Amino acid sequence: MAPIRFLVLDDHQLIRLGVRAAIDQHDHWEIAVTAATLAEGMRALEETPFDFAIVDLGLPDGSGLEFIAQARFLRPDVKILVSSMRDAHLFAHRCIAQGAHGYIAKQETDVNIDRAIQTILDGEIYLSPSLEPCENNGAPQSTTGIMFQEISKLSKRELSVFELIGQGYSTKLISEQMGVKTKTVDSYRERIKNKLELSSTSELLHYATRWIVSIEES
C-alpha cells in the first residue's frame, strides 16, 4: 500500500511540527513537504508529488484560498483540509465552495485532525465541530452563524454571483466576469432569492453586502 503523502502549508512552525507529529503516528501517512508561505506552497504544488494538503488561510504573502484555487486547477485529485484561526462560520463554506474538502478550526487540530483527515480520505466533507448548532444552552446563534447556515444552501456558482452582487457588480459586469449571458445571471439571482427567502432585489443586495462586509471585517 502506497503511503499518503502530505503537504503542510502554514506560516507557524509550531503548527507545522504539531501536524507532522500527528501524521507520523500513522504507518501509511507521511510528510512530503512543508511550506511557510504561499510562494513556497505554489512551488511545491508544481514540483512535489503529494496526495493531501493541510492549508492555513492567513499567509504572509497571500491567502490560502489562492492555493486552493490553483490546486483545483493543477492537481484536482489532491484532497485539501483548511486549518485556520479565522471564524469558521464566515470562511468554512467559502473554502468548500472554492474546492476544499474540509475545514477545521486551528484550536481543534490537536484533538480532531486525525478524524478530519480520515473523514476526507473516506470521501466525505469534514467541518469543524464548532460549526454545529448549539443545542443545550438555548443561546441564540450569532448573526454570522445564521448567515453561514443560510448561505451554505447556495451552489458554488450561486455563491460566486452572490459575492459579486455584494461587491457592487451589476448584472452586466457579473456576466462578463463569469463568462455567461445576462439572462443566466438573472436566473442565478432568482434562485439565490428563493433559497435565501428574499422577496426583492434590494433585499438581495442588502444581504449580499452584509456578507461581504462580515468577511472583510473578520
Side-chain angles (χ1 to χ4, degrees), residues 158-218:
E158 289 164 353
L159 179 63
S160 295
V161 171
F162 180 76
E163 292 191 335
L164 289 172
I165 291 171
Q167 293 170 39
Y169 282 61
S170 66
T171 297
K172 184 174 184 297
L173 286 175
I174 294 172
S175 70
E176 294 173 355
Q177 179 84 4
M178 299 184 66
V180 299
K181 296 179 180 178
T182 56
K183 287 185 178 179
T184 303
V185 177
D186 288 335
S187 177
Y188 279 127
R189 282 177 173 270
E190 289 304 312
R191 293 210 296 264
I192 294 167
K193 285 196 292 184
N194 289 336
K195 287 186 177 183
L196 300 182
E197 300 181 6
L198 303 172
S199 60
S200 67
T201 299
S202 61
E203 283 189 15
L204 172 58
L205 177 58
H206 176 70
Y207 202 83
T209 302
R210 284 178 58 206
W211 173 248
I212 293 300
V213 169
S214 68
I215 290 173
E216 292 176 346
E217 289 181 344
S218 65

Side-chain angles (χ1 to χ4, degrees), residues 106-153:
K106 193 171 284 188
Q107 62 267 30
E108 299 168 2
T109 54
D110 288 349
V111 177
N112 292 320
I113 194 165
D114 285 12
R115 180 157 63 98
I117 292 170
Q118 192 59 58
T119 297
I120 293 170
L121 291 175
D122 290 341
E124 300 177 19
I125 295 292
Y126 179 87
L127 290 176
S128 174
S130 63
L131 286 168
E132 297 174 0
C134 181
E135 297 177 350
N136 299 322
N137 62 13
Q141 290 180 272
S142 67
T143 300
T144 53
I146 294 169
M147 289 182 74
F148 169 79
Q149 288 190 7
E150 293 298 313
I151 291 167
S152 65
K153 300 173 185 176

